[in-house]
Amino acid sequence: SESPVEEESESGGTIVLPKFEAIKKRKADKKDDIARAGRAKRIPRNDETLFREAIEVDPNADANPSLFEDKGNVDFVAIVLGQGADTFVGIESAYLQLGHSALLLVIVLATFVNEPSFPLTNLPVEYRDFLKQGLAVTAVINSAVAVLAVFEAPNRKQPAWFWGSKSLLLGGIALNQLRTGTGTQPVSK
């Protein structure tokens, strides 16, 4: 029996690609299989075959902590990178963290550096003052969030100094990560 590709190439030299519906159905079926397997047994991160299958079905599967075994402790690098937290309007916490960090660097550069030959740093004084006011308001709000994070981090067996400084820099993004992405529930008293 010849494959459909061989039959088509012989009868005109063209290859018939699968329909979008067939691809979607195959993807949904495979996703259901992985979900069923995930409910029964979560994927260990060091199992390359199962990990690759999950990534083939959903390219963002590595950011979905419900698919993988929980080791009980959270890797410090994963915490710094913002992995494992709940999404915000469908956007992963790590992407929000990266975007806000880059935006902060650009705003600080535009606000405090004055280089006449570079348009980003050659802003009128009124714009610089507006950016300074915005940074001040953000710093006040993030300070309040940092205080919350400092008091909540020990309840989740996390370093308070780290979450305080991260919340001071990133505000609610860091607090959301502390509450949803550290893999620990608050310690009951």
Side-chain angles (χ1 to χ4, degrees):
S1 70
E2 293 183 23
S3 73
V5 173
E6 291 171 354
E7 290 173 10
E8 287 297 322
S9 60
E10 290 176 6
S11 66
T14 59
I15 298 174
V16 175
L17 297 175
K19 304 278 188 232
F20 283 116
E21 293 79 24
I23 294 172
K24 287 179 183 176
K25 184 178 181 329
R26 223 179 337 185
K27 183 177 179 181
D29 291 345
K30 191 151 187 161
K31 207 176 215 181
D32 289 342
D33 291 345
I34 288 177
R36 265 186 258 114
R39 280 191 296 273
K41 180 180 159 199
R42 291 183 169 193
I43 300 169
R45 289 223 182 235
N46 59 358
D47 187 342
E48 223 173 281
T49 307
L50 291 176
F51 186 74
R52 183 168 294 150
E53 286 177 10
I55 293 294
E56 286 173 359
V57 172
D58 180 14
N60 289 326
D62 61 334
N64 184 357
S66 66
L67 290 176
F68 300 98
E69 286 182 352
D70 186 17
K71 296 178 184 174
N73 58 351
V74 180
D75 184 18
F76 187 72
V77 174
I79 291 173
V80 170
L81 296 177
Q83 295 177 339
D86 285 349
T87 60
F88 178 75
V89 192
I91 303 171
E92 295 293 332
S93 180
Y95 301 136
L96 285 172
Q97 178 179 310
L98 181 63
H100 279 77
S101 299
L103 182 63
L104 177 63
L105 290 174
V106 169
I107 289 175
V108 167
L109 178 72
T111 304
F112 297 110
V113 176
N114 187 7
E115 174 60 43
S117 63
F118 187 47
L120 181 63
T121 60
N122 189 16
L123 298 175
V125 175
E126 296 84 19
Y127 291 177
R128 288 179 188 275
D129 290 342
F130 180 71
L131 289 173
K132 286 177 187 174
Q133 289 173 356
L135 284 173
V137 168
T138 303
V140 168
I141 293 169
N142 285 0
S143 297
V145 171
V147 168
L148 275 170
V150 164
F151 286 110
E152 189 163 333
N155 293 341
R156 296 181 183 270
K157 299 178 184 171
Q158 297 289 321
W161 64 270
F162 172 77
W163 288 105
S165 58
K166 186 170 182 175
S167 295
L168 189 60
L169 185 67
L170 295 170
I173 295 171
L175 186 62
N176 176 54
Q177 185 189 356
L178 172 63
R179 290 180 174 168
T180 64
T182 55
T184 57
Q185 297 298 320
V187 178
S188 58
K189 295 182 181 183

